[in-house]
Amino acid sequence: MAFLALRSILVLSLGLCSLAEYSIWNHTRGKDLDWWQKTVIYQIYPLSFMDSNGDGYGDIKGITMNIQHLKNLGVDAVWISPITKSPMRDFGYDVSSYVDIDPLFGTMEDFKALVAKLKELGIKLILDLVPNHTSDQHDWFKKSEANDPKYKDYYVWADPTFRPPSQNAFPPNNWTSAFGGSAWKYSTKRNQYYLHQFSEYQPDLNYRNENVTNEIKEVMKFWLDLGVNGFRMDAANHLVEKEGFPDEPVNLDSGVSDPNNYGYLKHIYTMNQPETFDVLADFRAMLDEYSHKTDNITRVMITESYTSTDEIMKQYGDQNRSIAHFPFNFNLLAELGDEADLFDLAINDWMSNLPQGAWPNWVLGNHDNRRVGSRYDPKMIDSLNMISLLLPGTAVTYYGEEIGMLDNMGITFNQTRDPIGIEAGPDNYLTVSRDPQRTPQQWNYQNFAGFTKGNETWLPVNPNYNIINVQDQTTLPMSHYNIYRQIVQLRKLPGVQKGDLEVSSIGSRVLAFKRSYDGEETGVVVAANFGEDILENINLAYVLDLYDKKLTVNITTPAATYKPGDIISSDDLSLNPMEGLVFTFQHSLASSRSLSVVLMFLSVFLVVRV
Ligand code: NOJ
């Protein structure tokens, strides 16, 4: 290395590098993995993928026209955010009919054509289902508000409380909405409050009424009959609330002082109630039964919840009953900064808490969180794709992440569409609005990045489309797009599909893991430098039990120390600042653990050049 200015040598101690091993694959040995286990799931936010009719909003035909893009990426499953009828207060997550396509997205014929195209290309389709709430424009809600005998208990209604001295009417309790403010809205038609855990336009369904569960199961059957392969269940841990509606306690650890802020309370009565798991298990049983009665192809159920790892793990179910095929793992969605050891912790948190035989997954981005290149240094995008796509389990990619799209922070308050941003007002909207990560897919250099032939777009295209777009990146060998494709191809190796995981961080700078599967010759190693320094003499031999192994460089980030095909010794690795590397190695059955323990105490050095 040419520009050595100062060399400091850190002797690695056990405290700086600790190895975690996960051999959870017993249940997969000798078995073929199922389609939902092998695949990458690509999330399409339909309003922003491709506009086929020039109205500025993405639509179903636009998706169908671009399915080849998914095929080119090597993706075998797509999850589409809601496309059913909606007043679009929350852009489809406020459903006014569960069984009609919203005209903004097209027609049922368009949907059938999309299903046919996906089938032709062998891509599975997962739809978003929003079981916790509907729109206040849904027929069920209108009838419920009018006290129609069949529908009056379809939603969560409660009488006002009357407080002295004025005896004025107040909401039934202190519950708050995830979008801010009280979770109760007064209906003058019914003289009662209805619960809305999200916006006031999204009344909560009442799952203490069995008819509601049955209605949603009918909805599921409707879409399954049309060829859908499963559902992503929105806000899955919110379905049932504690009977009697007791006040929730203040969360003293949160540091939040504004009672209108969702973080102010501990949501112990609105989230993760035991009955919620019963409803979810019922949905899962319906999917399994459907599959058994038809073609035995699994119809998958994926649950979405922002809650503690313990609670999320319960959504897998237990020996007595299955619930989700997997609940989303949002550990890599957190803002983990540039500390490799925090990533190590996030990975271990998921893997060490997984119930016996449960299938892991990794979500790197979605429509509710800042884009990867905006949460982290954009130079880390490829390394983070290497990590999330090569860890054990299903990986989920948000549209645009394959080209490293960034948040569009230039959106003005007037252009703001997200209800959370609007609620926050002109001074604060950008800190909370989800619009920046929902802007149109950047296809090429044409007007509006090729997203529309019209004159406007529902959210402004990120002006950086001149430098970040699909067309450009397909031609550049070291683009995010091409690196992403290489990683997805490598995922198909048995060592990655079924392999054990050994993961470790070396100090706060390097994250490294190994994937290998007994009986398969080829294993995979990923190493990423999260820091700004050049690192030398990194010894992966002990860290990942690779003593005496030669590593063959397979995929690199741009400006890498090595090139594909280079063979290096596992005890002498160099990494440029923010470099990520994927290696393959030939597996040998003899373990060298004891020898490497001895070696660790003799000579394990990390040399940092600054
Ligand atoms: C979670 C969805 O991902 C989010 O976009 C939506 O606003 C809420 N659920 C409410 O449905």
Side-chain angles (χ1 to χ4, degrees):
M1 299 287 162
F3 50 96
L4 180 125
L6 172 78
R7 170 177 274 206
S8 57
I9 301 176
L10 302 179
V11 179
L12 291 183
S13 72
L14 279 174
L16 280 170
C17 100
S18 62
L19 177 72
E21 293 185 56
Y22 299 98
S23 298
I24 57 165
W25 310 105
N26 289 333
H27 67 295
T28 68
R29 302 230 191 259
K31 280 195 216 158
D32 279 343
L33 295 184
D34 207 347
W35 67 265
W36 55 273
Q37 296 174 301
K38 289 189 266 197
T39 191
V40 174
I41 299 176
Y42 184 91
Q43 181 194 353
I44 290 183
Y45 195 68
L47 285 168
S48 294
F49 197 57
M50 173 62 90
D51 170 21
S52 74
N53 62 0
D55 66 359
Y57 293 87
D59 47 41
I60 295 173
K61 274 191 181 152
I63 299 175
T64 312
M65 282 157 51
N66 286 287
I67 285 303
Q68 189 59 41
H69 176 65
L70 274 60
K71 200 68 200 166
N72 297 345
L73 289 173
V75 159
D76 297 317
V78 59
W79 146 39
I80 304 182
S81 287
I83 45 175
T84 44
K85 210 150 179 259
S86 163
M88 301 290 159
R89 293 274 192 176
D90 192 18
F91 300 101
Y93 288 96
D94 48 331
V95 176
S96 54
S97 164
Y98 283 106
V99 291
D100 290 297
I101 300 288
D102 193 280
L104 201 55
F105 295 121
T107 63
M108 191 53 89
E109 288 317 304
D110 297 342
F111 179 74
K112 288 180 182 162
L114 169 65
V115 172
K117 182 74 185 174
L118 288 168
K119 204 160 181 198
E120 182 193 318
L121 295 184
I123 297 176
K124 296 279 193 292
L125 172 59
I126 299 167
L127 283 192
D128 219 309
L129 185 67
V130 188
N132 180 65
H133 45 268
T134 68
S135 157
D136 61 351
Q137 299 306 305
H138 197 293
D139 255 8
W140 299 344
F141 185 73
K142 291 183 187 162
K143 288 179 177 159
S144 190
E145 201 177 23
N147 260 320
D148 178 306
K150 177 167 176 210
Y151 293 97
K152 71 184 174 54
D153 294 331
Y154 265 44
Y155 293 82
V156 181
W157 291 98
D159 292 329
T161 51
F162 296 93
R163 288 195 215 144
S166 64
Q167 292 302 327
N168 285 346
F170 283 93
N173 64 20
N174 71 346
W175 294 354
T176 47
S177 138
F179 287 5
S182 171
W184 298 96
K185 169 92 180 161
Y186 190 69
S187 159
T188 47
K189 291 198 184 120
R190 204 168 136 149
N191 291 327
Q192 276 190 310
Y193 282 89
Y194 66 84
L195 178 71
H196 60 91
Q197 294 198 58
F198 295 89
S199 83
E200 64 182 70
Y201 308 104
Q202 293 166 297
D204 267 52
L205 284 163
N206 173 20
Y207 281 91
R208 296 196 181 274
N209 179 348
E210 219 178 289
N211 293 338
V212 171
T213 315
N214 291 335
E215 292 272 14
I216 297 296
K217 287 199 283 191
E218 281 303 306
V219 168
M220 290 162 72
K221 179 159 186 313
F222 175 88
W223 292 105
L224 293 173
D225 286 347
L226 284 164
V228 162
N229 304 98
F231 300 97
R232 172 257 190 203
M233 295 287 188
D234 185 76
N237 62 328
H238 288 267
L239 299 186
V240 187
E241 299 75 35
K242 182 85 175 167
E243 270 176 319
F245 307 142
D247 276 353
E248 289 186 324
V250 174
N251 186 355
L252 296 171
D253 301 330
S254 70
V256 176
S257 54
D258 174 5
N260 283 319
N261 185 310
Y262 194 57
Y264 184 72
L265 298 178
K266 279 190 186 162
H267 300 287
I268 56 169
Y269 299 133
T270 46
M271 286 206 231
N272 312 322
Q273 301 302 296
E275 299 89 336
T276 290
F277 296 94
D278 299 340
V279 177
L280 291 171
D282 206 0
F283 290 157
R284 168 64 186 270
M286 183 267 157
L287 289 174
D288 288 351
E289 194 185 321
Y290 188 94
S291 150
H292 294 145
K293 280 193 177 153
T294 54
D295 47 16
N296 278 321
I297 297 174
T298 304
R299 302 310 194 277
V300 76
M301 182 166 117
I302 303 167
T303 47
E304 183 239 21
S305 319
Y306 290 86
T307 184
S308 69
T309 305
D310 279 355
E311 291 297 340
I312 290 184
M313 291 301 171
K314 290 186 198 162
Q315 292 179 16
Y316 275 109
D318 52 32
Q319 289 92 334
N320 301 321
R321 62 177 187 185
S322 300
I323 304 186
H325 287 86
F326 58 82
F328 276 142
N329 166 7
F330 292 148
N331 279 9
L332 299 185
L333 264 184
E335 309 224 348
L336 298 168
D338 58 1
E339 306 278 308
D341 43 353
L342 292 186
F343 278 80
D344 189 14
L345 279 178
I347 293 166
N348 280 297
D349 175 67
W350 190 263
M351 297 305 291
S352 63
N353 283 296
L354 262 186
Q356 181 78 27
W359 188 254
N361 74 96
W362 307 93
V363 179
L364 197 54
N366 69 19
H367 61 293
D368 292 327
N369 291 279
R370 292 279 176 257
R371 284 191 175 275
V372 180
S374 300
R375 293 204 309 280
Y376 303 107
D377 191 307
K379 291 197 274 310
M380 287 303 295
I381 290 174
D382 301 316
S383 297
L384 291 170
N385 279 331
M386 289 170 178
I387 292 165
S388 72
L389 292 162
L390 295 174
L391 281 168
T394 307
V396 186
T397 298
Y398 182 48
Y399 84 94
E401 300 290 22
E402 72 280 19
I403 55 167
M405 271 174 60
L406 302 175
D407 289 345
N408 182 358
M409 297 309 279
I411 298 175
T412 64
F413 184 64
N414 284 341
Q415 293 168 323
T416 294
R417 310 294 297 260
D418 180 17
I420 301 183
I422 294 169
E423 174 80 28
D427 293 337
N428 296 319
Y429 72 100
L430 266 186
T431 54
V432 288
S433 170
R434 297 167 296 176
D435 291 331
Q437 61 264 27
R438 296 177 175 179
T439 57
Q441 168 82 335
Q442 294 165 208
W443 293 103
N444 54 41
Y445 299 99
Q446 290 165 20
N447 275 349
F448 302 112
F451 164 76
T452 182
K453 296 258 183 291
N455 301 320
E456 56 181 4
T457 54
W458 81 286
L459 280 175
V461 172
N462 194 320
N464 68 13
Y465 73 92
N466 282 320
I467 40 172
I468 301 175
N469 65 66
V470 175
Q471 187 186 352
D472 203 18
Q473 293 200 13
T474 50
T475 62
L476 300 170
M478 292 307 282
S479 63
H480 298 305
Y481 173 87
N482 277 318
I483 293 172
Y484 182 93
R485 289 179 61 198
Q486 290 176 54
I487 309 168
V488 173
Q489 282 315 312
L490 201 73
R491 248 182 89 78
K492 302 192 171 160
L493 280 177
V496 179
Q497 294 276 308
K498 295 186 164 192
D500 297 337
L501 169 70
E502 292 180 37
V503 60
S504 183
S505 52
I506 307 172
S508 61
R509 298 185 185 84
V510 178
L511 180 78
F513 63 84
K514 176 175 98 179
R515 304 293 317 286
S516 64
Y517 180 59
D518 290 352
E520 290 295 335
E521 287 188 349
T522 308
V524 167
V525 168
V526 175
N529 178 0
F530 282 65
E532 307 268 2
D533 302 316
I534 296 172
L535 304 178
E536 284 196 322
N537 304 121
I538 302 165
N539 189 338
L540 293 182
Y542 167 71
V543 176
L544 295 179
D545 196 11
L546 284 164
Y547 182 69
D548 239 9
K549 291 269 189 308
K550 295 286 179 216
L551 301 177
T552 306
V553 177
N554 196 290
I555 308 172
T556 74
T557 46
T561 324
Y562 311 98
K563 57 183 187 319
D566 285 354
I567 296 179
I568 66 155
S569 170
S570 59
D571 60 3
D572 189 13
L573 170 72
S574 301
L575 282 171
N576 277 336
M578 302 205 187
E579 176 178 355
L581 292 169
V582 181
F583 304 96
T584 53
F585 68 95
Q586 295 309 305
H587 193 69
S588 86
L589 292 176
S591 166
S592 47
R593 165 71 61 203
S594 40
L595 182 53
S596 51
V597 168
V598 173
L599 278 169
M600 180 204 69
F601 288 108
L602 292 177
S603 62
V604 184
F605 296 108
L606 171 67
V607 179
V608 183
R609 285 175 171 192
V610 279

